[in-house]
Amino acid sequence: MPSPDSFAEHDPLTVAALYLSGLDHGQLYSPMEVTRAISRAYATSQDPESLILRYRQHLVGARSAAAAEDRRERRAWALRMVADLSLDQWPVFPGRPASHASAPFSDRTSSGRTFSDRTSSVGTAASEPAAAAVAEVFQPAGDLRGPRAARRRPVLVAIAVLALYLVNATLANEAPGLAAVSVAGPVNIGLALVLMQLAITSGAVLWYRRYAAARLDPLSAHLSSSYENQHPERLR
Amino acid sequence: MNIPQSESGTAFPVILIFTLIVVCTLFLSVASNSDRDSLDEFYLGNRRLSSVGNGLAIFGCYMSAAGLLGNPGLIALNGYDGIPYVLAPAVAWSVLLLLVAEPYRAMTRFTVGDCLARRLRPQPTHLASGIATLVISLLYLTAQLVGAGTLAAPVLGMHEPGAQRAIVAFLGLVMILYVFVGGMRAATLVQQVKAVLLVGAGLFLVLVVLSRFGWNPGALLDTAARHSGFGDAFLRPGISFHDGTSKLDSLSLQLAFLLGAAALPHVLMRVGTVSTGPNTRRSVQWATLLITSFSAAATLIGFGAAGLLGSRAISADDPSGNTAVVLLADFLGGPLLLTFVSCLLFATIVAVAAALMLTAAASLAHDIYGGWFKQGTASERSELLVARIGTVLVGASAILLSMCAQDLNVSFLAGLAFAIAASAVLPTILFNLWWKGFTTRGAVWSVYGGLLSSLLLVALSPAVSGNPTALLPHVDFAVFPLRNPGLVSIPLGFLLGWLGSVFDSREPGGAEYAQTEIIVLTGADPKEG
């Protein structure tokens, strides 16, 4: 990981984004606040290259010694925060140099597929939610492949729940003999399927709560902010 | 109906408690309302409810008297064959949660028409969905009021046919007053009160029934099968099928309940009142879990009623089984529990009917008057006035319709309302949210096609004519064999939505989808910030 003494061009993109964010480097923030700030800073930039460019220009562009010192401190803070949250290694792809900040964005086409890989490639378990949030954040703004993939799973679950109901109904209509086969005491296959339907329906409802909090909400936060920045005219 | 001690013993406390509920909720909602002349206040009420509070209100809005009394009765008489009907709403609601709730709330302001008009051309979509909403709500409201008369009069110890009409008129007037004065805020409050009562009553009945069978569900099922008169066949599919047509008919009704429960306009309007996306998700989650638990409870109570009372006694009291729960309450808890269940019944009728009336008034004032006639230029004050007049008009027509229908067999009305919701509302909502290629023409074709085909098929069905149990028993023009049109009209609604979109020359390739897709993917409206 880059140290505060090394050259800024080797800093991870997350550091640049946090540096350019609205957070005050004299204050304390929760991991979620930090990742949100990174998300917002990333969303306001056109592309990763311009973000890095602005970061470097700001670092070397101080007019006074005091300002340069302040900016150096801010960079050190950003490096520290990112290292603490294990976001520095992100994004790492097999066979790609981690130090080159803009490398992952040449891989845009595979963003939908590599979503879960990215999340799991990030460091420690303690920062898993933060890492997941940042993994979502580094979707190029306006690319809907990731959010679409994340929305696909609830659709499939809903179809499965509906299909199970229709299978039960068809079985009761067309093969009442099969449904009457005893499983345990008075409970036959038909009643067992009813119990299964109840369990799967409630299971889907409970699963969706966790899935939405873990996957959909971070995406929504990022997507809304990038949408605002990309299409101010549509917000009227 | 013939309940032993209920003659005048329970009438007074029931009326007292019912009046207390109505007056208190109305007073509370009017007192807490600071902005009586805003549309938001009238249609949406209090938006600062917790997700549990909202979930209870949605549950209370959805669970009708038919669900409360009809479902356990269906199982007590038909055994296994009743279960799919009872289970369908639970499945429907999980689908509503996963696919519709959050994006629908973010897309809409008050009505289904708002959700469509956000993406499609507003004028035709407002008119189409306004008409469909009005028809569904009016049919369902009539079914509720007719049911109220038949069920409530005996509970109050009144047996004359005139008394039923009096009850219907009285309940209808109470509901008009309720909505006219209190709007959505009052409706929400009574829905919550009713939901809490319902959860309490359901839990109590399940526990008492299970305790009677030594906490052994197996013993409960065995006894139910023995006392049903069908033996083990009671626990298997098939006892209510006589031929291929009745099989198809039951499939059709199940499909209508399954898909219609996810698209009832009054429930969607209730979902639209929640303030934020994550709050919507949690609220609908609570409602879905409550509905799923209640489905399970209704099944147990139904089997319990069959086991403790015997199916013969239940069908002797009411051939449709609607009084099974009342009889069971009387059997298990005596007059006290009977009074409680009766109050619950009245609160249920007011809660659901208030929501229906409000939705019908909104479709009149907001969709048909504001969105179509005035093309969105109506002032808030004039729309509110139309909404209040609409409440009275809709209420009065529902009262008239149900008084006329009191002696007729209108048991098909609720199924018809669900079938229209499933064939005219659900396809447009799903396509509008999830399909890039959907267009205004697709929406209009789907809504009118689903609505008209459902009405036409029912008019030509055995539910309306051609047999002694029909609406018009003395004439015969039943050429369509099924009593419920869902099996045909639901696929037709989806097909027309697709065809209309593909052949739309004004919006080739689909209406503008970028913003809608963002809403669907984030579950929030980017304008909300």
Side-chain angles (χ1 to χ4, degrees):
Chain A
M1 104 137 261
S3 75
D5 305 319
S6 65
F7 290 113
E9 45 263 54
H10 295 301
D11 289 353
L13 193 53
T14 35
V15 172
L18 183 56
Y19 180 95
L20 294 172
S21 73
L23 295 192
D24 178 355
H25 61 272
Q27 300 281 320
L28 287 174
Y29 295 99
S30 72
M32 206 56 211
E33 285 171 309
V34 172
T35 50
R36 285 239 177 82
I38 293 175
S39 156
R40 242 175 274 125
Y42 181 72
T44 49
S45 73
Q46 303 292 318
D47 52 76
E49 287 78 13
S50 75
L51 186 83
I52 287 286
L53 197 65
R54 271 200 294 146
Y55 171 58
R56 287 177 196 160
Q57 281 169 348
H58 197 262
L59 266 182
V60 298
R63 295 229 171 105
S64 67
E69 175 61 20
D70 187 58
R71 289 175 190 191
R72 212 180 58 76
E73 261 176 36
R74 187 169 176 82
R75 175 179 171 232
W77 164 80
L79 279 167
R80 205 168 55 243
M81 297 305 290
V82 164
D84 285 352
L85 295 172
S86 303
L87 302 173
D88 56 322
Q89 295 178 23
W90 194 91
V92 178
F93 285 88
R96 285 181 191 279
S99 59
H100 196 287
S102 60
F105 294 94
S106 57
D107 197 355
R108 276 182 199 188
T109 46
S110 64
S111 54
R113 183 180 55 77
T114 54
F115 237 67
S116 52
D117 309 345
R118 288 180 179 185
T119 315
S120 58
S121 73
V122 176
T124 57
S127 61
E128 200 63 16
V134 167
E136 324 285 44
V137 161
F138 277 83
Q139 280 297 103
D143 183 352
L144 298 177
R145 270 182 291 251
R148 279 183 193 141
R151 270 282 163 191
R152 211 164 291 145
R153 210 178 294 174
V155 176
L156 293 177
V157 170
I159 292 173
V161 171
L162 271 179
L164 183 64
Y165 180 89
L166 292 175
V167 164
N168 281 0
T170 320
L171 189 70
N173 264 348
E174 299 307 323
L178 179 63
V181 173
S182 174
V183 176
V187 178
N188 52 37
I189 289 185
L191 288 173
L193 281 173
V194 166
L195 286 178
M196 197 169 98
Q197 174 89 66
L198 272 175
I200 286 181
T201 308
S202 334
V205 172
L206 295 173
W207 165 82
Y208 183 64
R209 162 171 285 184
R210 291 180 46 202
Y211 180 79
R215 290 294 301 279
L216 301 180
D217 285 348
L219 273 174
S220 303
H222 169 57
L223 204 56
S224 309
S225 58
S226 65
Y227 185 84
E228 274 164 39
N229 288 301
Q230 286 198 329
H231 307 285
E233 78 287 351
R234 290 212 182 126
L235 300 181
R236 283 182 285 254
Chain B
M1 187 167 95
N2 188 12
I3 296 168
Q5 319 92 311
S6 74
E7 296 312 314
S8 55
T10 52
F12 179 68
V14 168
I15 293 176
L16 185 74
I17 297 174
F18 172 70
T19 315
L20 222 61
I21 291 177
V22 167
V23 172
C24 287
T25 50
L26 199 55
F27 177 77
L28 273 175
S29 58
V30 172
S32 64
N33 181 355
S34 53
D35 190 11
R36 287 211 48 220
D37 285 330
S38 96
L39 273 181
D40 273 336
E41 175 57 45
F42 187 70
Y43 289 141
L44 303 179
N46 186 359
R47 295 197 98 181
R48 284 191 299 276
L49 289 173
S50 69
S51 52
V52 181
N54 257 317
L56 277 173
I58 295 172
F59 174 59
C61 171
Y62 172 73
M63 220 62 201
S64 65
L68 169 66
L69 301 180
N71 283 349
L74 207 59
I75 289 186
L77 292 187
N78 298 313
Y80 182 92
D81 286 344
I83 294 180
Y85 300 102
V86 180
L87 218 56
V91 174
W93 274 83
S94 65
V95 174
L96 183 78
L97 168 71
L98 292 170
L99 298 186
V100 177
E102 292 160 73
Y104 175 81
R105 186 212 59 90
M107 287 277 280
T108 191
R109 191 168 165 223
F110 304 127
T111 62
V112 175
D114 288 333
C115 173
L116 302 179
R118 179 78 184 266
R119 179 180 165 200
L120 310 171
R121 280 184 282 124
Q123 231 187 331
T125 47
H126 266 303
L127 182 65
S129 67
I131 291 176
T133 304
L134 196 60
V135 172
I136 295 168
S137 303
L138 205 56
L139 288 177
Y140 203 39
L141 189 57
T142 308
Q144 293 289 317
L145 283 178
V146 172
T150 350
L151 292 170
V155 170
L156 296 176
M158 298 188 239
H159 295 284
E160 314 80 41
Q164 294 190 356
R165 292 204 167 80
I167 295 272
V168 168
F170 169 73
L171 279 175
L173 288 173
V174 168
M175 283 174 281
I176 293 176
L177 183 77
Y178 207 80
V179 173
F180 189 89
V181 177
M184 184 56 106
R185 190 178 285 259
T188 305
L189 211 55
V190 78
Q191 283 159 4
Q192 286 175 317
V193 169
K194 167 253 178 134
V196 172
L197 291 179
L198 186 55
V199 170
L203 203 63
F204 183 78
L205 277 176
V206 165
L207 290 179
V208 173
V209 163
L210 279 177
S211 76
R212 287 290 178 110
F213 293 97
W215 307 100
N216 179 1
L220 167 67
L221 288 175
D222 274 332
T223 318
R226 225 177 23 253
H227 291 180
S228 68
F230 291 102
D232 281 343
F234 191 61
L235 303 178
R236 298 178 198 148
I239 62 167
S240 62
F241 303 146
H242 313 296
D243 49 33
T245 310
S246 65
K247 269 186 195 174
L248 274 186
D249 213 359
S250 81
L251 198 64
S252 184
L253 192 58
Q254 281 167 24
L255 204 63
F257 277 129
L258 178 66
L259 300 177
L264 289 173
H266 69 286
V267 181
L268 287 173
M269 185 157 171
R270 187 55 262 189
V271 170
T273 66
V274 185
S275 55
T276 66
N279 201 2
T280 312
R281 186 191 312 141
R282 284 191 293 271
S283 307
V284 176
Q285 226 150 15
W286 277 110
T288 310
L289 288 176
L290 283 169
I291 289 170
T292 312
S293 326
F294 196 80
S295 302
T299 311
L300 277 177
I301 293 171
F303 278 127
L308 291 170
L309 307 168
S311 296
R312 190 170 304 163
I314 294 170
S315 63
D317 194 69
D318 178 350
S320 62
N322 278 334
T323 55
V325 175
V326 184
L327 294 173
L328 186 68
D330 194 38
F331 177 79
L332 290 174
L336 195 66
L337 192 56
L338 184 63
T339 309
F340 187 75
V341 170
S342 309
C343 288
L344 179 58
L345 175 64
F346 281 106
T348 296
I349 291 163
V350 171
V352 176
L356 285 166
M357 227 175 250
L358 199 57
T359 310
S363 70
L364 256 180
H366 189 69
D367 284 332
I368 297 176
Y369 171 77
W372 174 72
F373 184 68
K374 286 284 199 172
Q375 303 184 26
T377 59
S379 72
E380 193 153 305
R381 186 173 285 276
S382 72
E383 200 184 308
L384 191 63
L385 182 70
V386 176
R388 288 219 160 99
I389 297 173
T391 307
V392 178
L393 275 179
V394 169
S397 10
I399 293 175
L400 272 178
L401 275 176
S402 43
M403 285 171 92
C404 297
Q406 199 68 50
D407 300 324
L408 304 172
N409 185 352
V410 291
S411 54
F412 67 93
L413 274 186
L416 174 61
F418 274 77
I420 298 177
S423 42
V425 178
L426 188 70
T428 50
I429 289 182
L430 284 182
F431 280 148
N432 190 40
L433 294 176
W434 293 94
W435 185 34
K436 198 170 187 285
F438 194 49
T439 70
T440 307
R441 182 174 293 173
V444 170
W445 282 19
S446 170
V447 171
Y448 290 129
L451 176 66
L452 294 177
S453 64
S454 305
L455 290 175
L456 186 72
L457 288 176
V458 156
L460 298 176
S461 80
V464 168
S465 70
N467 66 77
T469 59
L471 178 71
L472 308 168
H474 305 299
V475 285
D476 186 357
F477 46 87
V479 289
F480 180 67
L482 305 180
R483 298 173 66 84
N484 188 285
L487 202 58
V488 175
S489 68
I490 296 170
L492 191 68
F494 278 97
L495 183 72
L496 285 174
W498 176 73
L499 275 180
S501 305
V502 172
F503 290 111
D504 194 339
S505 47
R506 283 180 72 168
E507 294 164 305
E512 144 86 22
Y513 187 56
Q515 201 182 9
T516 306
E517 186 174 25
I518 295 287
I519 293 177
V520 170
L521 292 177
T522 61
D525 186 347
K527 282 187 206 167
E528 288 174 336

